[in-house]
Amino acid sequence: MLPKLPAKQPRIVWLDVLRLCAIFMVICIHCSDPFNVSPEARSNPEFNLWGGIYGSFLRPCVPLFVMITGILLLPVKMSFEDFYKKRLLRIAVPFLLWSVLYNLFPWLTGVLGLPQSTMSDVFAYAPIDASQSFSDAIKNIALIPFQFNVYTVPMWYLYMLIGLYLYMPFFSFGVEQATVRQKKIFLMFWSFSLFLPYAYSFFSPNLLGVSAWNTFGTLYYFAGFNGYLLLGNILNHLKNIHLNIL
């Protein structure tokens, strides 16, 4: 007798559409970023203005991805081991592969006899005199588990996502036990914390206990992308309640 295959999960069409929109926004924001970071753009106020405008409208792309993750994965319904094996391995291989390729690119340009300025043409944050040596490429590759550099700037999202995956099984305990009201209270503090970077810039860098020797202010533990996980989870929960009522 053939073993019974696990039931295939149904597609959630509106989430697929939302994911498609977020992917399109990511592509667009990568097209608009050079208008903010290149020396030519910085010398042109009009470029900076429109780059900033387009970039501001497109920035929700990453929070949308994290909210989708919260909708699909919270609360976690599998053991720590199974969750880490399934989720971390899925992103670890492409993460390492592309990080290595990005860091080998400067050395490859040297092998091909291309000028050092090639890196600044390809990578917006790279200096015009970037190293093309193999030893520097290997050094950058060895540091992949700890940091990204000017060649792997897009990888910041995967560092963040790995952290969320490591954190999610623990966070799931609270999400599963909390009432809707308790989740809303958490999101209230979290949403307020989103404005703290602006408050630090425009009012004082030493608000709520932050100082030169302490970066852990009052709302530090409410800040971060974990709020988007919970926001996605609670919005999906409220949507389902509304549909059931109808």
Side-chain angles (χ1 to χ4, degrees), residues 27-40:
I27 295 171
C28 292
I29 205 169
H30 281 203
C31 294
S32 69
D33 276 348
F35 289 94
N36 298 316
V37 301
S38 68
E40 296 83 1

Side-chain angles (χ1 to χ4, degrees), residues 160-217:
M160 180 271 291
L161 186 60
I162 289 171
L164 285 181
Y165 281 168
L166 290 171
Y167 171 73
M168 205 177 300
F170 301 96
F171 189 50
S172 177
F173 290 133
V175 172
E176 197 164 15
Q177 298 298 321
T179 64
V180 172
R181 181 174 179 272
Q182 290 168 335
K183 293 177 183 179
K184 288 180 177 179
I185 292 173
F186 179 93
L187 290 174
M188 179 185 69
F189 287 115
W190 169 76
S191 60
F192 183 78
S193 74
L194 297 179
F195 293 93
L196 287 179
Y198 302 100
Y200 295 143
S201 297
F202 293 106
F203 295 102
S204 170
N206 298 320
L207 295 174
L208 302 177
V210 175
S211 62
W213 59 88
N214 175 49
T215 57
F216 304 96

Side-chain angles (χ1 to χ4, degrees), residues 3 13 22 25 36 50 64 77-78 115 118 123-124 139 142 158 177 215 219 227 246:
V13 177
M25 292 168 71
N36 298 316
W50 286 105
L64 282 175
K77 297 296 185 180
M78 58 182 72
T118 303
F123 303 101
K139 178 182 176 182
L158 288 176
Q177 298 298 321
T215 57
L219 294 178
L246 294 178

Side-chain angles (χ1 to χ4, degrees), residues 129-143:
D129 59 345
S131 171
Q132 293 174 302
S133 73
F134 183 70
S135 60
D136 285 336
I138 294 300
K139 178 182 176 182
N140 288 334
I141 290 171
L143 291 174

Side-chain angles (χ1 to χ4, degrees), residues 135-154:
S135 60
D136 285 336
I138 294 300
K139 178 182 176 182
N140 288 334
I141 290 171
L143 291 174
I144 287 173
F146 310 104
Q147 68 178 31
F148 63 93
N149 52 51
V150 293
Y151 308 117
T152 57
V153 169

Side-chain angles (χ1 to χ4, degrees), residues 6 9 17 20-21 49 59 62 87 95 126 139 165 167 170 173 177 186 208 228:
Q9 292 186 346
V17 174
L20 177 63
C21 293
L49 172 64
R59 290 295 169 191
V62 171
R87 293 294 161 185
F95 165 67
K139 178 182 176 182
Y165 281 168
Y167 171 73
F170 301 96
F173 290 133
Q177 298 298 321
F186 179 93
L208 302 177
Y228 291 112

Side-chain angles (χ1 to χ4, degrees), residues 6-175:
K8 187 177 181 180
Q9 292 186 346
R11 303 293 303 184
I12 305 176
V13 177
W14 68 271
L15 274 184
D16 289 338
V17 174
L18 187 61
R19 188 183 289 112
L20 177 63
C21 293
I23 291 171
F24 180 72
M25 292 168 71
V26 168
I27 295 171
C28 292
I29 205 169
H30 281 203
C31 294
S32 69
D33 276 348
F35 289 94
N36 298 316
V37 301
S38 68
E40 296 83 1
R42 286 197 296 269
S43 64
N44 189 323
E46 187 174 355
F47 280 13
N48 272 331
L49 172 64
W50 286 105
I53 291 174
Y54 285 124
S56 298
F57 280 108
L58 297 167
R59 290 295 169 191
C61 57
V62 171
L64 282 175
F65 278 122
V66 180
M67 289 170 66
I68 292 171
T69 301
I71 291 171
L72 295 175
L73 299 184
L74 281 178
V76 175
K77 297 296 185 180
M78 58 182 72
S79 67
F80 280 41
E81 295 81 3
D82 291 340
F83 181 81
Y84 289 151
K85 185 185 300 183
K86 181 177 181 179
R87 293 294 161 185
L88 290 179
L89 287 180
R90 180 176 293 181
I91 62 174
V93 173
F95 165 67
L96 290 173
L97 175 63
W98 283 105
S99 295
V100 169
L101 291 177
Y102 276 135
N103 282 302
L104 285 177
F105 181 81
W107 166 72
L108 183 60
T109 60
V111 172
L112 296 176
L114 298 175
Q116 289 177 298
S117 59
T118 303
M119 268 72 74
S120 62
D121 293 335
V122 176
F123 303 101
Y125 296 97
I128 59 174
D129 59 345
S131 171
Q132 293 174 302
S133 73
F134 183 70
S135 60
D136 285 336
I138 294 300
K139 178 182 176 182
N140 288 334
I141 290 171
L143 291 174
I144 287 173
F146 310 104
Q147 68 178 31
F148 63 93
N149 52 51
V150 293
Y151 308 117
T152 57
V153 169
M155 295 291 107
W156 78 267
Y157 175 78
L158 288 176
Y159 284 95
M160 180 271 291
L161 186 60
I162 289 171
L164 285 181
Y165 281 168
L166 290 171
Y167 171 73
M168 205 177 300
F170 301 96
F171 189 50
S172 177
F173 290 133
V175 172

